[in-house]
Amino acid sequence: MTLSNATDRGPLFFRDRDWHPPAYTPGYKTSMTRAPHRALVALGSTLSEETGPAFGHDMIGVLDNNLVMNFTGQPAIGERIIMHGRVLDENGRGVPNVLVEIWQANAGGRYRHKKDGYLAPLDPNFGGCGRTLTGPDGSYEFLTIRPGAYPWPNHVNNWRPMHIHISVFGTGFGQRLITQMYFEGDPLIAKCPIVNTIGQDRAIQALVAPLDMNRAIPMDCLAYKFDIVLRGRRQSFFENRKEGM
């Protein structure tokens, strides 16, 4: 069952579109230049966007979902965590064979990117990205390092809360959703200008992963559970497509 036909069965439970933030939000400085000034134009998809490439298990390496080890084969520095959950449709059914990719800052809050000039050091053993395919029940799991918070040049002394970026692919590159996962109890969530563009608290809470001690490994790592819902009123908040898949 693919992402597309999993969500086509039965009636659609439409998402509350009012919880999507306006494009122009002055508190988030770059939205002032990126927000559209004219009415949007809807473009139909083409055959190349609706079909392939398809993703197979042979494309996923043994360590692709292990960000602690997958960059150099030596362990990364920081607090080890398990990030896990399920990709679900609007009826709560797991969606299998979905490509889930993540990327993040290291434990000090720095990305492995040439334009990241934050003074925190790079971890030589942490690349900061991984991928996996969901199982038959829609489940996924990553072993990673809890990312650090970091400052960003929005307004004076703005900091991004600890977060992990998530990309979910359907059956082709034209079917892609992007979101972020935050961590339960982080006080910077309420202070983040990007988070505060979201008008409804329940939409924000859908992006916060609760601590899951049932999956934590004693003397090793904590765990956080984050389900990704593709459509309907319980849909996860997606940055790039408020209608979902």
Side-chain angles (χ1 to χ4, degrees):
M1 180 166 54
T2 65
L3 218 63
S4 56
N5 65 32
T7 54
D8 286 342
R9 298 177 181 178
L12 294 180
F13 299 97
F14 291 101
R15 174 179 173 173
D16 181 1
R17 295 166 63 99
D18 292 337
W19 74 0
H20 199 80
Y24 181 77
T25 50
Y28 180 12
K29 188 170 65 175
T30 57
S31 75
M32 300 170 67
T33 56
R34 295 190 301 185
H37 298 286
R38 298 181 181 180
L40 301 181
V41 177
L43 300 175
S45 60
T46 66
L47 183 64
S48 63
E49 294 163 337
E50 295 172 357
T51 60
F55 304 104
H57 287 276
D58 58 336
M59 298 178 66
I60 304 297
V62 175
L63 292 178
D64 278 5
N65 70 333
N66 183 343
L67 282 71
V68 174
M69 299 292 293
N70 69 10
F71 191 57
T72 65
Q74 297 298 315
I77 298 170
E79 178 188 348
R80 294 156 55 94
I81 62 169
I82 293 172
M83 169 188 171
H84 76 101
R86 298 174 68 203
V87 176
L88 304 168
D89 67 15
E90 68 266 37
N91 291 306
R93 298 173 298 191
V95 186
N97 299 315
V98 174
L99 180 68
V100 180
E101 297 178 326
I102 65 171
W103 64 99
Q104 62 171 93
N106 66 18
R110 184 171 175 181
Y111 289 94
R112 184 170 289 279
H113 192 282
K114 62 182 180 180
K115 292 187 176 180
D116 190 336
Y118 182 35
L119 54 78
L122 283 173
D123 180 347
N125 295 320
F126 188 71
C129 58
R131 61 182 183 171
T132 191
L133 286 168
T134 58
D137 61 348
S139 61
Y140 74 90
E141 180 175 306
F142 292 94
L143 177 65
T144 187
I145 298 296
R146 186 203 292 264
Y150 58 84
W152 60 299
N154 185 61
H155 294 293
V156 176
N157 205 24
N158 279 157
W159 288 70
R160 293 295 337 271
M162 300 177 292
H163 63 280
I164 295 177
H165 300 268
I166 304 167
S167 166
V168 181
F169 272 111
T171 54
F173 283 111
Q175 295 178 320
R176 189 189 188 198
L177 298 175
I178 299 171
T179 190
Q180 296 184 25
M181 184 195 87
Y182 300 97
F183 292 83
E184 178 185 18
D186 188 347
L188 289 175
I189 295 173
K191 300 179 183 296
C192 178
I194 295 179
V195 175
N196 287 332
T197 64
I198 304 172
Q200 297 190 27
D201 183 66
R202 65 189 181 93
I204 295 173
Q205 293 308 311
L207 300 180
V208 179
L211 181 67
D212 184 2
M213 294 302 294
N214 290 325
R215 287 295 298 274
I217 302 175
M219 307 300 293
D220 187 337
C221 59
L222 294 174
Y224 289 85
K225 187 174 188 296
F226 189 72
D227 289 337
I228 303 167
V229 183
L230 298 178
R231 302 184 72 161
R233 291 191 174 274
R234 292 190 176 92
Q235 179 186 310
S236 300
F237 182 91
F238 298 113
E239 302 165 7
N240 57 320
R241 188 176 299 176
K242 55 191 171 183
E243 297 85 1
M245 283 291 188

